[in-house]
């Protein structure tokens, strides 16, 4: 169970945003928990100093490429990158120093898995460099993968069959519990239990983590099989519920 740090970029700045409020069509609806004064490269340098691998940069919309490249240069091979990644630009981001690319909307189109695009990605960069973002929201009794800033439900549910199928084309899963992302209001226990039982590849959980008790819950309910990301709760992102050092120590 590893701590996977994050750098979320919006309009070129490191921010912590309540994920469900991110809507390009309604910028007035955006709820921001934190805007960093320090650049993305500073956070990448911090993670490098602590030898934290497998963290991710997420580009939330346009205007983030320069900041993303600076962060990748500060920790080459140490960070993954997602946000607008396609088969056409994936190799570019790997060449900038990303260890992996993270893909969601390019693969999940029209509510389904786009098999042709997924196969093309694997052909171009190899499954070992590909992370699939299966961020999801609950609908009824199941969790469904969501796209387009977590606004659009697909018809693809998080099931044993789907996880097994997709694991054949990637090396890891990144899964934000989108309903609780950025709210510091507790984790999605049922999703954690589901992933702990069923995920066949390394999986990083994000969403709602507040304090060390949540990390213990994540470890116990997930059978110690899930890595974790903490955002708004951390002191380096303006939070007061958990220190960065506590997260690092727990996830060593």
């Amino acid at each position: 169970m590893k701590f996977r740090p994050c750098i979320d970029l919006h309009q070129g700045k490191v921010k912590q945003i309540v994920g469900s409020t991110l809507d390009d069509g309604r910028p007035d609806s955006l709820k921001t928990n934190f805007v960093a004064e320090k650049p993305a490269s500073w956070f990448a340098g911090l993670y490098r100093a602590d030898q934290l691998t497998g963290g991710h940069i997420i580009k939330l919309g346009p205007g983030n490429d320069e900041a993303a490249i600076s962060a990748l240069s500060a920790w080459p091979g140490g960070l993954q990158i997602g946000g607008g990644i396609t088969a056409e630009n994936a190799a570019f981001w790997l060449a900038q120093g990303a260890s992996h690319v993270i893909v969601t909307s390019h693969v999940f189109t029209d509510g389904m898995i786009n098999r042709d695009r997924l196969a093309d990605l694997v052909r171009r960069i190899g499954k070992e460099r590909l992370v699939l973002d299966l961020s999801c929201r609950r609908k009824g009794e199941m969790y469904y993968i969501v796209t387009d800033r977590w606004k659009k439900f697909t018809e693809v549910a998080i099931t044993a069959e789907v996880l097994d199928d997709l694991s054949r084309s990637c090396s890891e899963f990144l899964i934000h519990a989108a309903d609780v992302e950025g709210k510091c209001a507790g984790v999605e226990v049922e999703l954690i239990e589901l992933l702990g039982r069923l995920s066949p590849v390394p999986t990083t959980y994000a969403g709602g983590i507040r304090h060390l008790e949540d990390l213990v819950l994540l470890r116990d309910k997930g059978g110690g099989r899930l890595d974790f990301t903490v955002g708004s709760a951390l002191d380096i992102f303006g939070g007061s519920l958990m220190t960065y050092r506590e997260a690092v120590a727990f996830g060593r």
Side-chain angles (χ1 to χ4, degrees):
M1 184 176 180
K2 291 173 55 181
F3 172 45
R4 305 281 198 109
C6 64
I7 300 173
D8 292 344
L9 295 173
H10 183 251
Q11 298 176 342
K13 294 183 178 295
V14 177
K15 297 183 182 181
Q16 285 294 310
I17 290 170
V18 178
S20 59
T21 69
L22 188 60
D23 187 340
D24 287 340
R26 297 179 55 216
D28 58 322
S29 69
L30 182 69
K31 182 178 179 182
T32 303
N33 290 335
F34 173 77
V35 181
E37 295 182 1
K38 296 182 175 67
S41 57
W42 181 89
F43 291 91
L46 176 66
Y47 305 153
R48 180 176 186 172
D50 288 317
Q51 289 297 292
L52 297 175
T53 57
H56 56 267
I57 302 167
I58 300 295
K59 299 185 290 131
L60 300 169
N64 294 305
D65 286 359
E66 183 177 346
I69 291 171
S70 72
L72 293 173
S73 297
W75 191 192
L79 291 164
Q80 305 169 358
I81 191 163
I85 304 298
T86 67
E88 288 70 33
N89 65 26
F92 168 83
W93 287 105
L94 293 175
Q96 300 308 305
S99 64
H100 301 69
V101 293
I102 304 167
V103 178
T104 312
S105 297
H106 183 69
V107 165
F108 298 96
T109 57
D110 299 321
M112 305 299 293
I113 303 169
N114 189 316
R115 302 285 177 180
D116 291 339
R117 286 185 174 182
L118 182 56
D120 190 26
L121 269 166
V122 173
R123 180 182 63 81
R124 293 189 188 216
I125 65 170
K127 63 172 285 186
E128 68 279 357
R129 307 292 296 275
L130 178 61
V131 177
L132 289 179
D133 184 339
L134 309 186
S135 294
C136 58
R137 297 176 65 183
R138 186 167 187 145
K139 184 165 65 173
E141 297 301 313
M142 304 184 77
Y143 291 93
Y144 288 84
I145 296 169
V146 288
T147 63
D148 301 293
R149 315 292 173 81
W150 304 335
K151 297 289 185 184
K152 186 179 295 184
F153 277 88
T154 70
E155 297 176 27
V156 185
I158 302 292
T159 65
E161 294 76 18
V162 166
L163 293 175
D164 182 66
D165 175 24
L166 293 175
S167 72
R168 302 173 192 273
S169 300
C170 69
S171 62
E172 297 182 13
F173 296 140
L174 171 63
I175 302 182
H176 291 78
D179 288 324
V180 299
E181 172 67 19
K183 297 180 180 179
C184 290
V187 298
E188 284 271 14
V189 174
E190 291 186 32
L191 177 61
I192 288 168
E193 291 177 329
L194 184 71
L195 297 173
R197 290 197 316 270
L198 301 180
S199 185
V201 294
T203 297
T204 300
Y205 169 89
I209 296 174
R210 301 163 293 184
H211 39 54
L212 292 178
E213 287 83 356
D214 284 328
L215 295 182
V216 172
L217 185 64
L218 176 65
R219 180 191 65 200
D220 294 346
K221 297 296 184 180
R225 300 185 63 236
L226 304 178
D227 294 335
F228 65 93
T229 289
V230 188
S232 296
L234 287 185
D235 57 350
I236 62 170
F237 297 128
S240 60
L241 300 174
M242 185 189 306
T243 70
Y244 167 74
R245 289 297 160 200
E246 286 175 329
V248 171
F250 193 97
R252 282 296 190 190

